[in-house]
Amino acid sequence: MLAPLLDHLAESEDGLALARDGGEAFCSSALRPFLIAALLAHADERPAIVVAADDRAAGELAADLSAWLAPRRVCFYPSRGVTYESHLAPPPHLVGLRIAALDALAGDSPSAGAGGAPVLVVSAPALSEKVPDPALRPHSFELAVGELLDLEECAQTLVEMGYERVSQVEDRGQFALRGGLLDLFAATAERAVRVEMFDIEVESLRTFSTFTQRSLESIERIEVAPAAELALEHRGTWLEGERPDIAELLPVDRFRPLLELVGDDPAVIVAASDEIGPTLRDHWADVCAAFHDAEAHHLYVAPEEIEAVLSARTRIRLHSLAGTTPVEFHAQAAGGVARSLGEAESALERDLRSGYRTVVTWARRGDGERAAHNLARLTANWLEDGPPQDRLTFAQASLREGFIAAGLRLAVIPDHLLFHRRRRAPARPAVGRRGALRSFADLRAGDFVVHEDHGIARFAGFETRTVAGVTRDYLYLEYQGDDRVFAPTDQFAKISRYVGAGGEHPTLSRLGGTRWDTLKARARHAAQELAGELLSLYVERKRRDGHAFAADGDWQREFEQRFPYTETPDQREAIELVK
């Protein structure tokens, strides 16, 4: 719960004026989530739409706003991930996020009203994609312990919502019925859920691992978001090999712009105004490359129309370039070079002596309690206990970035930026064959595969055959001409996915002859030559004297601390070898 810290906006007259009257301002990127959350907290209690440049920025901003505004609901509304003209369905988790966000804004969500008016964080490309009328799309529902549930009716509802019925749940958008159990991987859930029934009553809900199928923890309720954009009766179908016009598949006359669909009530905040226009124009250029310009208007909104609507409706516009507005909010990104809690404690003391309200956020409360116990000079109090502002404050929250804002007299530091932890190298994964298949579920009819003995084939499906009185399953492989092979499933290890350059369809092998054996021998010889060259290279490296670099200085350690990515095992090994 970080909401009490949002009152620090009162430290800035410009901040209060911006919340009260709206307008434009520059804001440092590290401070942006806090400032937007504080502006929303000090504004009228009504829904809000926050516009970010792209899906990545919108997703990160939504996660940070969720921490700052909790328990107020913050929804991430991403773009579809695939274009309408591709004839591909968006991934279930993106569909679920989009519909759950729209339902929350419309008040149709099972958890609508909890925590106050919802906040929707949307990317600029998502604004340009028209949305089906609410009457055309399925809606979310909720499962809770103790409720009555008809499994067959629930299964039919899930199919209508775009879920796939399978024998074993492996991914989002799938469900399985096994006796009195319903296994369900909801479109927006982090883990699959097992619903156990007592007659027609939901007896328990437990998350489980899709890999081991073992139960993990009990939960009380789960919101099930749709996995398809349109209800079953509105989804177009076509035969394999056909590619009908998109207007024949979708009721395009009932698709509307997002900002028109949500109405005039939500307040609009633009998070990075300088980046919105270029992103919209780039997206529109991609759309028009696939559609004729006139046809694109059926399912997409032109950049000029979006910018006109935003200009009319935006209440607060934040810029990412300093010097462009009379009001500016500056902050330094948090992140020191301390190597231990003791060194970090000295930095926290300096912030407190400088008059900052100093807050450290911890993703896990237990880590914070251990740190509070190990502090030598400072005493930490938890935010919910209402400590005085001149004391070190701990809070439980997951933040991506921290900041030190002189104008607000506030310093917020996430635990992962408090001091540098030596990241433990993850276990090196076992090296397998390129294109190796993990299970039969990895194969789809029409995939190109390579059989170790017979060469390149097209996988046509599975067939059950009885041979010599024994019935078992076979992989049906098509080769050049009329050649066919039925490979027993126990020879699955001999088959791998075809991996070729350029993405072009390979030439199928012909059964018999020596061509495939010749290709394998040539590849084996090339691998042996490459191994010989590498061996010579490493011998030469061992023979020559290397260059010894100086020990790491303060600037080097600070640079490594600020590196925002996790190195791969090979990168870490190279860094250590160079040092």
Side-chain angles (χ1 to χ4, degrees):
M1 287 285 292
L2 299 176
L5 299 176
L6 301 178
D7 292 337
H8 275 265
L9 187 67
E11 296 284 341
S12 168
E13 289 295 332
D14 288 336
L16 291 177
L18 189 63
R20 183 181 60 250
D21 306 325
E24 301 189 21
F26 161 79
C27 181
S28 300
S29 61
L31 184 63
R32 193 176 298 152
F34 168 85
L35 181 60
I36 293 174
L39 292 171
L40 290 170
H42 284 77
D44 297 336
E45 181 67 20
R46 60 171 174 152
I49 296 175
V50 181
V51 183
D54 53 36
D55 282 346
R56 178 177 177 180
E60 292 176 346
L61 181 57
D64 287 340
L65 289 179
S66 295
W68 282 107
L69 292 171
R72 188 171 178 179
R73 185 170 183 183
V74 178
C75 301
F76 169 42
Y77 185 88
S79 63
R80 298 177 74 247
V82 293
T83 56
Y84 283 111
E85 65 273 13
S86 68
H87 291 64
L88 297 174
H93 73 282
L94 293 183
V95 174
L97 287 171
R98 287 163 63 88
I99 294 183
L102 292 175
D103 285 349
L105 209 58
D108 297 332
S109 170
S111 57
V119 177
L120 187 148
V121 185
V122 59
S123 66
L127 277 183
S128 71
E129 298 167 341
K130 290 189 177 181
V131 184
D133 188 272
L136 300 179
R137 65 175 187 256
H139 296 280
S140 305
F141 70 92
E142 194 172 67
L143 292 174
V145 174
E147 290 186 348
L148 302 183
L149 179 68
D150 185 304
L151 284 181
E152 290 301 327
E153 287 185 7
C154 182
Q156 180 60 35
T157 301
L158 289 171
V159 170
E160 293 172 357
M161 292 171 66
Y163 283 77
E164 177 187 9
R165 186 167 181 170
V166 295
S167 58
Q168 180 174 305
V169 170
E170 294 183 343
D171 205 353
R172 289 185 178 91
Q174 296 180 340
F175 76 96
L177 275 180
R178 296 181 293 142
L181 294 177
L182 168 64
D183 286 352
L184 170 66
F185 205 152
T188 56
E190 292 297 323
R191 293 189 180 276
V193 170
R194 180 160 293 142
V195 184
E196 295 185 355
M197 304 294 297
F198 180 76
D199 194 16
I200 60 172
E201 180 182 338
V202 177
E203 184 177 32
S204 69
L205 295 172
R206 287 187 288 185
T207 60
F208 69 93
S209 166
T210 56
F211 182 69
T212 65
Q213 297 294 304
R214 291 184 177 180
S215 297
L216 298 174
E217 60 180 345
S218 296
I219 58 176
E220 289 300 314
R221 61 185 64 249
I222 180 175
E223 184 174 333
V224 183
E229 292 180 291
L230 297 170
L232 187 60
E233 61 271 22
H234 299 297
R235 290 177 221 151
T237 58
W238 65 93
L239 299 175
E240 187 177 353
E242 293 183 349
R243 191 176 177 85
D245 187 80
I246 197 69
E248 299 174 12
L249 299 174
L250 300 176
V252 295
D253 57 325
R254 299 181 66 183
F255 278 60
R256 298 157 59 191
L258 175 64
L259 292 176
E260 176 186 319
L261 191 71
V262 300
D264 296 330
D265 185 43
V268 178
I269 297 177
V270 176
S273 183
D274 320 83
E275 303 170 18
I276 302 299
T279 303
L280 287 172
R281 285 186 283 276
D282 288 346
H283 185 258
W284 182 252
D286 293 339
V287 168
C288 291
F291 272 134
H292 293 300
D293 187 69
E295 295 175 341
H297 286 273
H298 290 307
L299 292 168
Y300 295 91
V301 187
E304 298 79 14
E305 297 177 39
I306 297 174
E307 290 179 320
V309 174
L310 287 178
S311 178
R313 292 188 54 178
T314 298
R315 185 171 179 275
I316 298 173
R317 190 181 292 268
L318 300 180
H319 295 262
S320 53
L321 297 176
T324 56
T325 61
V327 178
E328 298 191 347
F329 296 91
H330 292 271
Q332 174 187 345
V337 293
R339 292 284 177 164
S340 65
L341 182 61
E343 292 183 22
E345 186 175 7
S346 300
L348 295 173
E349 282 183 306
R350 287 196 299 272
D351 291 337
L352 287 168
R353 284 197 302 269
S354 300
Y356 290 100
R357 172 77 179 275
T358 305
V359 182
V360 180
T361 64
W362 300 87
R364 292 181 293 272
R365 187 180 178 98
D367 292 344
E369 290 176 345
R370 282 192 294 273
H373 178 74
N374 291 324
L375 289 172
R377 298 176 299 279
L378 294 175
T379 300
N381 299 89
W382 289 90
L383 181 61
E384 59 265 29
D385 298 332
Q389 296 198 12
D390 59 350
R391 301 284 293 275
L392 177 63
T393 304
F394 281 2
Q396 185 177 356
S398 294
L399 290 180
R400 184 175 49 89
E401 283 187 288
F403 60 86
I404 301 173
L408 302 174
R409 311 309 298 167
L410 179 64
V412 178
I413 306 164
D415 62 319
H416 63 91
L417 296 177
L418 184 60
F419 56 88
H420 179 76
R421 295 178 177 87
R422 188 70 176 175
R423 285 175 287 203
R424 182 181 300 174
R428 186 181 291 270
V431 178
R433 292 178 301 154
R434 191 182 181 200
L437 297 165
R438 294 176 297 175
S439 71
F440 298 119
D442 290 343
L443 282 175
R444 296 287 184 272
D447 287 351
F448 291 96
V449 297
V450 179
H451 191 288
E452 188 175 309
D453 299 327
H454 305 302
I456 301 172
R458 182 186 294 107
F459 173 68
F462 294 95
E463 287 200 10
T464 302
R465 292 192 162 220
T466 302
V467 179
V470 178
T471 301
R472 59 178 175 174
D473 295 323
Y474 292 84
L475 286 81
Y476 180 19
L477 306 179
E478 297 177 341
Y479 286 85
Q480 196 175 124
D482 295 325
D483 294 344
R484 303 288 184 270
V485 165
F486 293 89
T489 53
D490 57 11
Q491 294 184 12
F492 187 71
K494 287 191 171 185
I495 297 172
S496 58
R497 191 186 305 277
Y498 173 80
V499 180
E504 299 179 356
H505 289 177
T507 302
L508 300 181
S509 300
R510 181 179 293 278
L511 297 182
T514 60
R515 177 172 174 76
W516 177 245
D517 289 332
T518 302
L519 286 174
K520 287 198 296 183
R522 191 180 301 162
R524 191 178 299 112
H525 179 68
Q528 290 172 346
E529 285 187 345
L530 179 60
E533 292 173 4
L534 289 174
L535 185 60
S536 300
L537 175 63
Y538 284 112
V539 167
E540 184 65 15
R541 283 182 177 175
K542 285 286 186 183
R543 188 183 64 80
R544 296 188 181 185
D545 293 330
H547 173 74
F549 288 93
D552 290 352
D554 291 340
W555 285 8
Q556 172 73 17
R557 284 192 292 270
E558 182 177 357
F559 174 81
E560 291 178 355
Q561 167 65 21
R562 292 180 180 274
F563 187 66
Y565 307 105
T566 301
E567 302 93 337
T568 65
D570 289 338
Q571 288 173 334
R572 276 192 296 271
E573 183 179 354
I575 291 170
E576 295 301 327
L577 289 174
V578 168
K579 289 185 176 182

